Amino acid sequence: MHCRASHQWSGNAVAPTTGLTGGGGVNRDYPLTYCTNIHPGETWADVRRNLEDHGLQVKRLCSPAQAFPLGLRLSARAAFELDEAEIHRFANWCGEHDCHVLTLNGFPYGSFHGTAVKQNVYLPDWRDPLRVSYTKRLADIAVQWTPNHRPISISTVPVAFRAGFEPAHWTIVRTHLFDVAAHLARIRERGGPLIRLAIEPEPCCVVERTDEAVALFERMAFPEPLAAHVGLCFDCCHQAVEFEEPADCLAKLASASIPIAKVQVSSALRARGKAVAALLQFDEPTYLHQAVVLLRNGELRRFTDLPGLARWLQEGEPPEECRVHFHVPIFLEELGGIGTTRFFLEACLPRLPSGTPLEVETYSFGALPPAMRLDSLGHSIARELNWVRETLDAAHSRH
């Protein structure tokens, strides 16, 4: 399924010129891309090859005549491999292929495919100076790939994995976050682009629910001008797994004046009653698949990974519903007879402020059972991007 040629993609060389027209002629523009963390590879050579093999295919399918934004995942290895000459060559490559970098994924520091990632994905976390140096390096690279008028974001871990985090650790976390925010502010003061660190809440981490995100910003109390350089990466899969409601989340963030630097458009698994046991087929050795169970009394019970859920189900307590952190193609309402949280996206996307960057993030495509991979990778990504546009078109045409 190809993206419709009539769609205009935001992110042209001078300024976004195309948006979605809703009722009353209101123009709504949402820069839209996908995250390249779906492609295996840790080196800069891997990143370039994936863009040539997959990124350009998606551009041909979705944006043949318009500029195409990129959501790049750069591991620490790739970031520190880059020298000035290669940074300049890639800037030229973007110009040649009518692409630009919209956002960087600075969440996974090391290997992200083909090995047991699990909770190591959060390491080094914000207690470790390695996280600071890596994030600063990403910012220094982003400066050279981003026109000064265009904001860019760098998503990052939600402070740390919850297990083992102590209240005493907040002091060093605050020091490190202030260090990076100050670095971003200095870039801006020197005439560079506005770069936002985008903290990404996730189940079983120090910051997982929206209330905890608000509490983090209250605790940090970033002063001006640092506050302009720290925001949130709102991952729809994660908040759906937490049984949160999009309208409530967005209202709380707006009330606390927390900027949404980008939204990761992603969908989780969902099952009810006896069907919850079918979720266990998605247990696999690479990623952490946190599970949250809604009990019949309305309480939530959390499990770090699917084996923990399996042990609990053996005890025989009947769940009302369970949601699992496993990023599945967003256009699917069900997968192999299992439900998804696509409904969360359908409720969330139309409520986002105009201009909010959107990044489809279905990195676990390769971890799906083979029979459930409905399309080739490139066509699946294109179909996801098209679904986002169609969903926004439909929502805004009703208003």
Side-chain angles (χ1 to χ4, degrees):
M1 179 178 179
H2 290 214
C3 288
R4 293 179 298 171
S6 61
H7 280 316
Q8 302 287 318
W9 289 72
S10 60
N12 295 306
V14 176
T17 58
T18 305
L20 302 168
T21 303
V26 177
N27 183 267
R28 295 174 178 271
D29 193 279
Y30 300 85
L32 174 62
T33 185
Y34 81 98
C35 185
T36 63
N37 65 356
I38 194 173
H39 306 306
E42 304 304 319
T43 69
W44 173 246
D46 294 330
V47 174
R48 284 295 303 269
R49 182 172 57 252
N50 287 328
L51 288 173
E52 295 281 356
D53 293 346
H54 301 292
L56 292 181
Q57 179 194 16
V58 174
K59 184 186 187 303
R60 287 192 297 270
L61 291 171
C62 292
S63 186
Q66 300 292 329
F68 184 66
L70 300 173
L72 290 187
R73 185 252 160 165
L74 294 182
S75 69
R77 177 177 176 181
F80 287 104
E81 279 178 350
L82 279 165
D83 58 22
E84 293 301 310
E86 184 58 30
I87 290 171
H88 182 69
R89 279 192 290 271
F90 183 66
N92 289 338
W93 182 93
C94 287
E96 176 185 350
H97 294 286
D98 201 14
C99 298
H100 71 273
V101 178
L102 174 69
T103 181
L104 293 176
N105 187 326
F107 195 126
Y109 181 94
S111 297
F112 194 58
H113 289 275
T115 186
V117 179
K118 298 295 182 180
Q119 59 261 44
N120 289 332
V121 73
Y122 310 109
L123 298 176
D125 59 35
W126 280 101
R127 294 170 292 185
D128 192 325
L130 286 176
R131 177 61 63 175
V132 176
S133 60
Y134 168 50
T135 308
K136 286 182 177 180
R137 176 60 180 162
L138 292 177
D140 292 340
I141 293 169
V143 168
Q144 301 180 68
W145 290 344
T146 308
N148 289 352
H149 68 271
R150 189 193 305 280
I152 188 169
S153 61
I154 301 172
S155 52
T156 190
V157 297
V159 179
F161 192 56
R162 190 178 294 278
F165 189 87
E166 303 290 342
H169 297 159
W170 279 115
T171 300
I172 189 63
V173 167
R174 191 172 191 269
T175 297
H176 287 161
L177 286 174
F178 269 58
D179 187 2
V180 169
H183 185 76
L184 303 181
R186 286 192 293 270
I187 288 173
R188 185 67 166 161
E189 289 167 1
R190 293 194 295 265
L194 172 64
I195 304 176
R196 277 203 174 107
L197 182 66
I199 298 168
E200 182 180 336
E202 183 167 321
C204 297
C205 292
V206 172
V207 180
E208 54 180 316
R209 294 179 62 82
T210 302
D211 286 343
E212 290 169 328
V214 172
L216 171 70
F217 279 79
E218 291 175 349
R219 179 188 291 271
M220 294 297 104
F222 296 106
E224 292 294 342
L226 302 190
H229 296 278
V230 188
L232 213 64
C233 172
F234 187 87
D235 189 303
C236 294
C237 169
H238 299 171
Q239 305 319 125
V241 168
E242 292 287 344
F243 285 85
E244 294 201 316
E245 295 293 335
D248 291 342
C249 295
L250 298 177
K252 288 176 180 178
L253 295 175
S255 178
S257 299
I258 297 174
I260 298 178
K262 70 176 175 182
V263 169
Q264 285 187 327
V265 185
S266 53
S267 187
L269 293 167
R270 174 201 196 201
R272 292 177 170 176
K274 293 181 179 179
V276 167
L279 293 168
L280 300 179
Q281 68 183 292
F282 292 90
D283 186 19
E284 55 83 37
T286 305
Y287 303 112
L288 205 61
H289 298 299
Q290 302 95 317
V292 180
V293 171
L294 174 65
L295 302 177
R296 292 184 175 178
N297 63 6
E299 295 180 1
L300 297 177
R301 186 180 294 259
R302 292 176 172 80
F303 302 91
T304 300
D305 208 348
L306 286 173
L309 174 64
R311 290 189 293 270
W312 180 79
L313 288 174
Q314 289 175 354
E315 297 175 3
E317 185 175 353
E320 182 73 19
E321 182 177 340
C322 180
R323 300 181 186 178
V324 173
H325 177 215
F326 194 121
H327 290 219
V328 296
I330 60 174
F331 49 80
L332 295 176
E333 193 169 12
E334 66 170 35
L335 181 65
I338 303 297
T340 74
T341 59
R342 192 182 76 175
F343 63 89
F344 187 100
L345 293 175
E346 292 169 333
C348 183
L349 290 173
R351 288 181 164 87
L352 296 173
S354 175
T356 303
L358 307 178
E359 181 185 42
V360 172
E361 196 207 20
T362 311
Y363 64 81
S364 49
F365 180 88
L368 285 170
M372 296 183 182
R373 301 174 201 172
L374 304 181
D375 291 312
S376 69
L377 180 57
H379 282 84
S380 183
I381 294 168
R383 189 175 173 187
E384 290 186 288
L385 295 174
N386 193 51
W387 181 87
V388 174
R389 283 298 189 198
E390 290 177 346
T391 299
L392 286 168
D393 280 342
H396 293 307
S397 68
R398 294 193 294 266
H399 297 286

